[in-house]
């Protein structure tokens, strides 16, 4: 994960860590290299520039040039700033209510259905909840089957109504079913499209209005870099979602999405998905990821 970014940052710090004399010029060069590393990782230039301006301010304030180990001090400044950029503290996930309702939205192929299965598994095994998975994709019968397969794997019931072509109605009936059957978290996997379109947005917005979810999670493929950020902005405008799920962090992803989504939409990343297996799910801790990036 983020190997290229890690390597480039490592090499940016090299001149401060080496034997050579530290002066304003090599601090400035290091900062320039950090900015380039971020842009190469698909972080938008404006975000990268603001980031390195903050690092520069801190480096000057904390007198990196006179520090006993300037390289280490610089790494710490960058780590703190990366943590802040990704949201600072881990954000809570709201599952209060009987049932709690979690709405899952995102483009087709982003990993929505896989994440829904993982979330059900996590809530059941780690939080002692009784989840119900809901297949609310009225366009792709295969999506219903996929959710059923995952439900069987994690041993969580799946509510579906293949004849029903009204996603709002399916969601409402699923919640009624949950109440009758002692389920206390309802996870609604909505339909996805290949690109943001009005019909999809209206449908998810209608479900939101009808079921008043505790959480609306926007699922996005981290491999798609700045596209991920743009899609997040489009979904957020319509849905005002409560959190982001970044998927496929086990792949060869450069890091741009993880680093810039919070800045762009001002919504926290809540979960990261790093594999196809049902337990490949983590709560997102900005500091841990910053630490991993800096090795
Ligand atoms: P949906 O169309 O948004 O519901 O996406 P799916 O859940 O069907 O996922 C699309 C593809 O990505 C599937 O082949 C999944 O197995 C795969 N996938 C989902 N999440 C991850 C992940 O975190 N890592 C990897 N490597 N693959 C994933």
């Amino acid at each position: 994960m983020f190997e290229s970014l890690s390597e480039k940052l490592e090499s940016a710090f090299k001149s401060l860590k080496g034997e050579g004399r530290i002066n304003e010029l090599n601090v400035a060069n290091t900062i320039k290299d950090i900015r380039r590393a971020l842009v190469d990782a698909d972080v938008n230039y404006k975000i990268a520039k603001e980031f390195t301006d903050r690092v520069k301010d801190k480096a000057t304030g904390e007198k990196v040039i006179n520090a006993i180990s300037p390289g280490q001090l610089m790494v710490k400044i960058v780590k703190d700033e990366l943590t802040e950029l990704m949201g600072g503290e881990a954000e809570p996930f709201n599952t209060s209510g009987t049932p709690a309702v979690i709405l899952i939205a995102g483009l087709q192929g982003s990993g929505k259905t896989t994440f829904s299965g993982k979330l059900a598994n996590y809530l059941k095994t780690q939080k002692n909840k009784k989840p119900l998975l809901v297949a609310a994709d009225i366009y792709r019968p295969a999506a219903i089957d996929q959710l059923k397969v995952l439900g069987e794997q994690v041993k969580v019931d799946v509510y579906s109504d293949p004849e029903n072509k009204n996603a709002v109605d399916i969601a409402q009936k699923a919640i009624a079913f949950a109440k009758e059957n002692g389920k206390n978290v309802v996870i609604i996997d909505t339909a996805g499209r290949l690109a943001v379109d009005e019909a999809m947005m209206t449908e998810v917005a209608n479900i939101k209005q009808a079921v008043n979810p505790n959480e609306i999670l926007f699922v996005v493929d981290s491999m798609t870099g700045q596209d991920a950020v743009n899609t997040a902005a489009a979904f957020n405008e319509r849905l005002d979602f409560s959190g982001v799920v970044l998927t496929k962090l086990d792949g060869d992803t450069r890091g741009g999405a993880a680093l810039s989504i919070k800045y762009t939409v001002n919504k926290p990343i809540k979960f990261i998905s790093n594999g196809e297996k049902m337990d490949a799910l983590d709560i997102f801790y900005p500091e841990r990821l910053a630490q991993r990036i800096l090795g």
Side-chain angles (χ1 to χ4, degrees):
M1 190 208 299
F2 306 165
E3 279 87 4
S4 166
L5 174 61
S6 294
E7 274 168 27
K8 284 179 184 156
L9 289 176
E10 170 81 31
S11 115
F13 296 128
K14 222 168 221 159
S15 66
L16 297 184
K17 281 179 173 169
E19 295 293 310
R21 277 174 62 88
I22 306 301
N23 55 40
E24 276 172 25
L25 184 66
N26 40 20
V27 171
N29 280 338
T30 298
I31 285 173
K32 214 187 285 171
D33 289 347
I34 295 170
R35 186 180 312 154
R36 197 169 304 136
L38 291 173
V39 170
D40 287 350
D42 215 5
V43 173
N44 165 293
Y45 182 80
K46 178 172 168 271
I47 300 177
K49 168 91 171 60
E50 283 184 28
F51 181 91
T52 44
D53 284 350
R54 282 195 301 275
V55 170
K56 196 164 143 193
D57 281 352
K58 274 199 177 175
T60 315
E62 296 185 25
K63 297 196 175 53
V64 166
I65 290 173
N66 297 322
I68 297 167
S69 39
Q72 272 174 15
L73 181 55
M74 196 67 164
V75 171
K76 185 182 178 305
I77 292 171
V78 172
K79 186 192 147 190
D80 290 349
E81 285 299 323
L82 281 177
T83 304
E84 274 309 304
L85 185 64
M86 291 188 288
E89 299 288 312
E91 290 276 337
F93 182 63
N94 174 2
T95 53
S96 59
T98 40
V101 178
I102 318 294
L103 192 60
I104 313 291
L107 295 181
Q108 190 176 317
S110 60
K112 249 182 310 95
T113 303
T114 308
F115 169 72
S116 300
K118 289 178 182 182
L119 182 65
N121 183 49
Y122 164 78
L123 292 172
K124 181 182 151 184
T125 58
Q126 314 281 316
K127 297 285 164 191
N128 214 10
K129 295 281 182 186
K130 294 191 177 66
L132 176 70
L133 283 161
V134 181
D137 189 335
I138 55 174
Y139 311 100
R140 288 193 318 132
I144 302 177
D145 295 339
Q146 189 191 352
L147 195 64
K148 282 186 180 161
V149 170
L150 296 177
E152 261 169 42
Q153 262 181 46
V154 300
K155 300 193 168 45
V156 167
D157 289 343
V158 175
Y159 181 93
S160 69
D161 187 357
E163 304 306 315
N164 191 340
K165 293 296 168 204
N166 181 338
V168 172
D169 192 49
I170 295 172
Q172 286 172 322
K173 286 189 171 140
I175 292 169
F177 177 91
K179 283 181 185 157
E180 282 158 21
N181 291 276
K183 310 288 184 189
N184 52 17
V185 187
V186 176
I187 301 167
I188 305 173
D189 182 20
T190 62
R193 305 285 166 80
L194 292 174
V196 174
D197 75 43
E198 191 47 37
M200 169 176 73
M201 285 299 184
T202 305
E203 183 181 279
V204 193
N206 288 343
I207 299 177
K208 174 188 173 182
Q209 204 182 8
V211 304
N212 190 23
N214 296 56
E215 295 269 357
I216 302 172
L217 295 179
F218 167 68
V219 179
V220 68
D221 179 343
S222 63
M223 310 271 282
T224 58
Q226 286 198 37
D227 274 351
V229 179
N230 297 335
T231 312
F235 271 77
N236 193 45
E237 205 168 283
R238 281 302 291 274
L239 282 183
D240 190 18
F241 54 70
S242 58
V244 177
V245 178
L246 271 185
T247 64
K248 310 187 194 180
L249 276 174
D250 52 312
D252 187 18
T253 171
R254 285 192 283 164
L259 293 171
S260 21
I261 274 194
K262 171 68 169 60
Y263 177 98
T264 308
V265 295
N266 197 25
K267 294 290 167 66
I269 299 170
K270 293 204 173 179
F271 293 97
I272 52 179
S273 189
N274 45 24
E276 295 184 82
K277 296 218 177 86
M278 283 295 102
D279 59 359
L281 180 72
D282 286 312
I283 293 172
F284 181 67
Y285 294 102
E287 193 187 346
R288 283 188 204 170
L289 189 51
Q291 183 66 55
R292 264 183 83 165
I293 290 171
L294 294 174

